[in-house]
Structure formats: structure tokens, C-alpha cells
């Protein structure tokens, strides 16, 4: 395997993901994958070590718990501009060539036969095995603080539902949702889904950006964070430090937390609300 990560086009990934591969019944053709992939500037070994650590730390019965640990560490290790993180080719390569064993370990179903959904290897950012974790860390972190991302990734309903919403590109919206989860206003999967539907519906008529403006992002700080990648060792036993590109504005977060709690309380799926 190359010392650098590759870029594997969607059409190539699709060709390699046969029914036998998805059932983990036949090996992936690594030589053919290497020929189909383009080279990239990012080192492969730190990502491979990170994946090995995740599978060592969590037994298969606890595999969903690995998401909250791996997401911030992956984001802090693979430091990408959003434009490059939106390129599916890097995530295809991670899943199909660098670490398919992780994809099987994390996402193999208990069906007969056990199967991994194709989108876990090559699919939308909110479903693909590695892209979903990187983007969850990016969209739910609060500046350099990955704590909110850990809360988000510790709840499969957030990862499976909230991550799909365009409104979470607005940082105060993302942070307000996490605050409601962290403070126990929402607790169950049913309540999370009710909140998501209510927030999304309200977002079609309200402009959250106008109601609760975000702080400007410090693009230079994010660029500096990317450039420091080779000189920083990402810790495994504590949260890494993200880019210091600014936090969500407190006043905007307060406004949206109050609003979301109100519209959630009035939604039909809210259930019993803690006082």
C-alpha cells in the first residue's frame, strides 16, 4: 500500500463493491484499486493507526460507541478544508482500500447473510463510514472544542438524522440542538426525531441566520491548524484540540435554544418534557 492516501472515483468504487465483497465473502482486489486511485498529499499511516486503535478499544458489541471516540480524532488527524472533504474520492479510498476491515467491523449487519450497505463504503457524506464521522466532528464542534461533537456522535439518532439537515451548516443551530440533548430536554430517539422535524419545518419559514447570526469564521486560524498537522500528535486518551476559528455566538445560541425548546414542546412527537 502507498504511504499516501489515494483518491478513488465513485465509479471505480462501485465496480469493486460486488455482492460478495459487501457480504465479506470475497476479498477486495487491492492491486486493481491501487491502479484506479489517484495519489494525494495526505499520509495514510496515521489514519490506519487510528482505525486500529478504535477497533482495539471497543469490542464488537460496543461498536456504536466507537463513533464518539473516532470522529474528533479522525477530524484532528485528517485536516482537510471543507472543499476537499466534500470530495467523495478520499472517503472511497479510506473505506475500500485503506480500512475496509473497519467498515466490516462497524457496519456489518446481523442479517442472513450479514451484509454491509454499499453506502458505508461509497455513499453520501452522512452515510459513508468515514465521511459521516469527519463531517459530524466538523459541523458539531464549537471552535476548538470537540465536546459537542462527542455528544452528537454518541447518539445514533443524531448521526442518522440531524447530520442530513442543511440547517446544521448554521453553527448556532447545530449547537442549540446539542444543548437540548446535553441538558436532557430531549432524551429519546423519538424526541430527537420530533425535534429534527420541528426545527426543519420552522427553518423553511424562518431564517435562523437572520434571527441568530453566527460569528465570522477565522479562515486564517483554520489554515494554520491544517498546516500544523505534521507537528501535532493527536492524543488517544483525551479530546484533541480543533481549529481556533471561532465559536458560535452565545447570544444567538441562547435565542435558538429557547426557540427550539418551544417548537419542540409544541410538536406532536415531543412526549413528556422534563420540567
Amino acid at each position: 500500500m502507498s504511504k499516501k492516501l489515494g483518491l478513488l472515483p465513485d465509479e471505480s468504487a462501485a465496480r469493486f463493491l460486488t455482492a460478495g465483497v459487501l457480504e465479506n465473502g470475497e476479498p477486495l482486489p487491492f492491486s486493481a484499486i491501487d491502479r484506479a486511485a489517484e495519489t494525494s498529499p495526505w499520509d495514510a499511516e496515521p489514519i490506519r493507526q487510528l482505525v486500529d486503535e478504535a477497533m482495539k478499544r471497543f469490542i464488537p458489541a460496543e461498536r456504536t460507541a466507537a463513533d464518539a471516540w473516532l470522529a474528533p480524532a479522525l477530524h484532528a488527524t485528517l485536516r482537510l478544508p471543507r472543499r476537499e472533504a466534500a470530495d467523495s474520492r478520499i472517503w472511497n479510498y479510506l473505506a475500500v482500500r485503506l480500512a475496509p476491515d473497519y467498515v466490516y467491523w462497524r457496519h456489518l449487519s446481523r442479517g442472513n447473510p450479514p451484509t454491509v450497505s454499499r453506502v458505508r463504503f461509497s455513499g453520501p457524506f452522512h452515510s459513508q463510514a468515514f465521511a459521516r464521522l469527519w463531517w459530524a466532528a466538523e459541523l458539531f464542534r464549537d471552535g476548538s472544542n470537540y465536546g459537542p461533537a462527542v455528544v452528537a456522535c454518541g447518539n445514533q439518532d443524531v448521526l442518522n438524522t440531524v447530520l442530513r439537515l442543511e440547517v446544521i451548516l448554521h453553527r448556532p443551530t447545530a449547537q442549540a440542538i446539542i444543548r437540548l440533548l446535553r441538558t436532557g430536554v430531549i432524551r429519546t430517539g423519538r424526541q430527537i426525531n420530533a425535534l429534527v422535524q420541528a426545527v426543519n419545518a420552522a427553518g423553511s419559514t424562518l431564517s435562523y441566520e437572520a434571527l441568530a447570526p453566527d460569528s465570522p469564521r477565522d479562515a486564517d486560524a483554520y489554515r494554520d491548524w491544517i498546516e500544523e498537522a505534521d507537528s501535532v500528535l493527536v492524543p488517544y486518551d483525551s479530546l484533541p484540540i480543533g481549529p481556533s476559528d471561532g465559536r458560535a455566538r452565545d447570544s444567538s445560541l441562547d435565542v435558538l435554544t429557547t426557540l427550539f425548546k418551544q417548537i419542540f414542546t409544541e410538536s406532536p412527537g415531543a412526549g413528556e418534557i422534563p420540567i
Side-chain angles (χ1 to χ4, degrees):
M1 183 185 298
S2 171
K3 293 183 178 180
K4 298 293 184 179
L5 295 177
L7 302 172
L8 184 65
D10 291 341
E11 57 272 19
S12 297
R15 188 169 69 250
F16 300 128
L17 295 173
T18 65
V21 166
L22 295 177
E23 293 173 5
N24 198 18
E26 66 181 50
L28 280 155
F30 289 142
S31 296
I33 294 170
D34 289 340
R35 290 192 296 271
E38 302 173 26
T39 58
S40 83
W42 301 292
D43 291 336
E45 186 58 27
I47 307 300
R48 183 63 249 189
Q49 291 175 352
L50 188 62
V51 169
D52 288 338
E53 182 68 19
M55 292 189 291
K56 183 173 68 175
R57 283 180 173 241
F58 299 90
I59 63 174
E62 301 171 341
R63 57 186 179 169
T64 58
D67 292 345
W69 180 86
L70 184 54
L74 176 64
H75 186 270
T77 301
L78 187 56
R79 302 188 178 192
L80 302 172
R82 284 192 178 188
R83 182 189 70 257
E84 294 176 352
D87 186 344
S88 61
R89 295 178 300 167
I90 191 169
W91 308 117
N92 292 339
Y93 186 87
L94 261 63
V96 177
R97 179 62 177 95
L98 183 72
D101 53 334
Y102 167 82
V103 183
Y104 291 123
W105 176 84
R106 174 62 183 84
H107 293 290
L108 193 66
S109 75
R110 293 184 175 88
N112 186 21
T115 304
V116 174
S117 172
R118 183 179 298 272
V119 297
R120 298 304 188 183
F121 283 102
S122 179
F125 80 93
H126 51 74
S127 300
Q128 203 272 352
F130 293 103
R132 69 197 283 266
L133 299 179
W134 192 97
W135 278 104
E138 170 65 12
L139 295 175
F140 287 109
R141 68 180 173 85
D142 192 14
S144 62
N145 178 18
Y146 283 115
V150 171
V151 175
C153 294
N155 189 299
Q156 293 301 302
D157 290 289
V158 173
L159 270 182
N160 294 334
T161 305
V162 182
L163 193 58
R164 300 168 182 261
L165 300 181
E166 188 174 347
V167 291
I168 65 163
L169 294 172
H170 181 236
R171 284 193 299 179
T173 294
Q175 292 305 312
I177 291 172
I178 295 304
R179 179 183 284 184
L180 292 177
L181 184 62
R182 177 183 281 163
T183 56
V185 173
I186 54 174
R187 296 176 178 174
T188 67
R190 178 171 175 268
Q191 289 178 333
I192 290 170
N193 290 328
L195 173 68
V196 166
Q197 293 175 18
V199 168
N200 209 37
S204 65
T205 56
L206 295 173
S207 171
Y208 294 145
E209 178 61 45
L211 185 67
D214 195 7
S215 302
R217 293 177 183 271
D218 188 339
D220 290 337
Y222 194 94
R223 191 178 304 110
D224 290 344
W225 177 78
I226 290 175
E227 292 175 354
E228 293 169 356
D230 292 340
S231 61
V232 175
L233 186 64
V234 174
Y236 286 175
D237 294 317
S238 61
L239 279 181
I241 298 174
S244 299
D245 57 350
R247 300 182 61 182
R249 188 177 297 180
D250 287 338
S251 58
S252 293
L253 181 53
D254 291 340
V255 166
L256 290 185
T257 301
T258 300
L259 173 64
F260 292 169
K261 183 174 182 178
Q262 177 184 346
I263 63 177
F264 167 65
T265 303
E266 296 170 355
S267 69
E272 183 178 350
I273 309 299
I275 299 176

